Amino acid sequence: MVNPVEMEQGDQAEAPLFSPSLQAIPMPGIRRMINTAAGMDDVIHLSIGQPDFPTPQHIVDANIDALREGKTGYTMDAGLPELLSELARYYGERYDRPLTEDNFLVTTGATEAMYLALTATAAPGRQFIVTDPTFLLYAPLIRMNGGEVKVIPTRPEHGHQVDPQEVIDAIGMRTFAIVLNSPSNPSGAVYPRETIEAIVQEAAYRGVYVFADEVYDHILLDEGMEFPSVINCASDLDHVMSVSSFSKTFSMAGFRIGWMISSQGAIKKLRRYHMFTTTVASTPAQWAGVAALQGNMACVDDMNAEYRRRRDRVVELVSETPHLTGYVPQGAFYIFPSLPPHTDATDLSLRMLEETGVCVIPGDAFGDTCSNAIRISFSNSMENIEEAFARMQPWLAKQSF
């Protein structure tokens, strides 16, 4: 389990200033590794969780044009009307279901969208089912608001696919919601349609919500693959919520534009909460988002083609690396290979960083059941990936497990 934030002696005197709920927020393993690497020379990052491609020029131009044209004031609290209209059009066509602007809320990145969804609903007595491993955001937000987390482990030998029957069997009297992340960070698993349908249909029957982090929804690494969202797998939107953003799809991480899709009633309530958090997302960046949705998607296809090429090579390199056991991830730009059982991946990752200059993220950053795994990002050039493994492989061959 990820350790809670550790307070230094000098911090104890200030502890009463802060809510005890802050103790539910862990020191992120990702930040720990990157902070260590920041003081070193000649580091190759297989740790970064953002695209390494430049933002497409037409999107950059739209952002600059908005600034020059003075489009720098507040938007409507739900988002820029033009962006809401484009989101409704785009996702209505993509998921083949009628969606209106009132089904969307534009947020400051997908992180704020998940923050709103989880902190507005987590409360004492409410249980949330979360898969493991998964992105580090969900469990702390649930716990800091008094909710309970029930973990469903996934298995590396199955490519970290979730078993829908395990999720369904875990639903109990206190279960309030299920949190899904597909394509997954850190595993790259993409849950098939039958898995999503089974979970959302049973959840709706039992009165349980499904919150889906679908921020990697366009980064699909198998040819011809279609993305099954909770939005097009549910009969209605009353018990589902999808979160996504422009960050990964269009290499717009710093623009901080995300959104949630849900029923009009849920969006109306969360709009009020949103007004008391970030109020509105960046106006020029929302105009850039309009350009992204209206423009040619060839830029996305080109990025995905390169991710696919890197994925295929990384799978080969992992299979050739002593003591690493991998699989074939289907989405995002990560693989989550396992080390021998009972290996402390945090200790190993820190030593490998110090001795080889290769930075990866240890598995305990992503849950309780995968402390012997490491997350490898292939959001880096092929040249750097090859060099990183050239350093890792002989180093790992010398380790005793």
Side-chain angles (χ1 to χ4, degrees):
M1 179 176 177
V2 179
N3 292 326
V5 175
E6 293 180 1
M7 303 177 87
E8 300 287 344
Q9 282 271 345
D11 294 333
Q12 296 292 340
E14 298 183 21
L17 176 64
F18 300 103
S19 165
S21 65
L22 286 182
Q23 295 300 313
I25 302 177
M27 178 64 75
I30 295 174
R31 185 52 47 195
R32 185 170 62 241
M33 293 297 297
I34 292 175
N35 286 350
T36 302
M40 300 174 57
D41 296 324
D42 190 28
V43 172
I44 299 176
H45 278 282
L46 302 185
S47 56
I48 304 300
Q50 67 177 358
D52 63 314
F53 299 102
T55 305
Q57 190 60 47
H58 68 285
I59 298 172
V60 174
D61 291 342
N63 189 78
I64 294 170
D65 290 344
L67 290 168
R68 287 176 171 161
E69 293 166 12
K71 296 175 179 177
T72 56
Y74 294 129
T75 67
M76 299 291 289
D77 57 279
L80 183 72
E82 289 84 350
L83 178 55
L84 291 169
S85 177
E86 283 301 314
L87 286 167
R89 175 198 62 79
Y90 178 80
Y91 279 100
E93 293 174 1
R94 188 181 191 206
Y95 294 147
D96 192 26
R97 73 177 307 152
L99 295 169
T100 72
E101 291 87 346
D102 292 333
N103 291 119
F104 292 82
L105 173 60
V106 176
T107 58
T108 305
T111 298
E112 190 211 351
M114 286 303 299
Y115 174 87
L116 295 176
L118 294 175
T119 62
T121 56
R126 288 182 172 181
Q127 182 186 83
F128 290 68
I129 294 173
V130 178
T131 58
D132 190 315
T134 197
F135 187 53
L136 54 85
L137 181 69
Y138 320 133
L141 289 178
I142 294 164
R143 290 177 177 133
M144 72 184 293
N145 287 275
E148 176 190 341
V149 175
K150 187 171 188 177
V151 170
I152 301 295
T154 61
R155 298 165 182 82
E157 60 268 28
H158 298 149
H160 289 289
Q161 287 289 331
V162 67
D163 182 339
Q165 193 59 51
E166 283 191 52
V167 175
I168 291 168
D169 290 345
I171 297 174
M173 294 297 293
R174 292 183 295 108
T175 303
F176 178 81
I178 300 162
V179 182
L180 299 177
N181 176 210
S182 173
S184 167
N185 177 5
S187 72
V190 180
Y191 301 155
R193 174 176 291 275
E194 53 268 29
T195 292
I196 301 294
E197 286 180 344
I199 291 172
V200 298
Q201 289 173 11
E202 184 66 20
Y205 176 74
R206 306 272 290 267
V208 171
Y209 290 85
V210 178
F211 299 137
D213 181 346
E214 300 180 339
V215 74
Y216 295 93
D217 57 349
H218 286 78
I219 304 180
L220 306 172
L221 303 177
D222 290 346
E223 293 281 1
M225 194 174 192
E226 292 188 2
F227 178 68
S229 168
V230 296
I231 301 300
N232 65 348
C233 288
S235 57
D236 59 59
L237 303 183
D238 289 340
H239 288 88
V240 298
M241 185 177 296
S242 168
V243 165
S244 193
S245 81
F246 291 115
S247 296
K248 317 300 182 180
T249 304
F250 294 96
S251 193
M252 293 172 62
F255 286 68
R256 308 310 303 133
I257 300 296
W259 56 85
M260 54 177 62
I261 312 173
S262 191
S263 68
Q264 294 181 11
I267 294 296
K268 185 176 181 180
K269 290 180 180 178
L270 288 173
R271 281 175 60 180
R272 191 186 326 163
Y273 188 17
H274 170 63
M275 291 172 63
F276 286 90
T277 52
T278 62
T279 307
V280 296
S282 164
T283 300
Q286 291 190 62
W287 281 108
V290 173
L293 291 173
Q294 290 180 342
N296 192 312
M297 296 291 284
C299 58
V300 177
D301 295 336
D302 290 345
M303 286 187 273
N304 280 351
E306 179 59 17
Y307 287 136
R308 186 175 300 117
R309 189 173 78 94
R310 295 176 189 174
R311 185 275 308 267
D312 293 345
R313 180 58 180 147
V314 166
V315 168
E316 290 178 353
L317 288 167
V318 167
S319 70
E320 297 165 359
T321 301
H323 309 299
L324 280 186
T325 302
Y327 55 94
V328 181
Q330 296 177 297
F333 37 70
Y334 309 110
I335 188 170
F336 199 60
S338 300
L339 292 154
H342 311 299
T343 300
D344 183 343
T346 297
D347 175 71
L348 181 136
S349 297
L350 285 167
R351 287 191 295 109
M352 187 166 71
L353 172 60
E354 292 167 356
E355 296 176 25
T356 72
V358 177
C359 187
V360 298
I361 305 301
D364 68 358
F366 304 100
D368 299 344
T369 65
C370 46
S371 60
N372 68 316
I374 56 174
R375 189 190 76 175
I376 294 172
S377 168
F378 42 91
S379 184
N380 205 330
S381 69
M382 190 71 87
E383 179 183 4
N384 283 339
I385 290 169
E386 295 281 2
E387 173 60 23
F389 275 89
R391 298 182 189 184
M392 290 168 56
Q393 288 174 343
W395 187 86
L396 280 167
K398 297 175 184 176
Q399 305 306 304
S400 298
F401 293 92

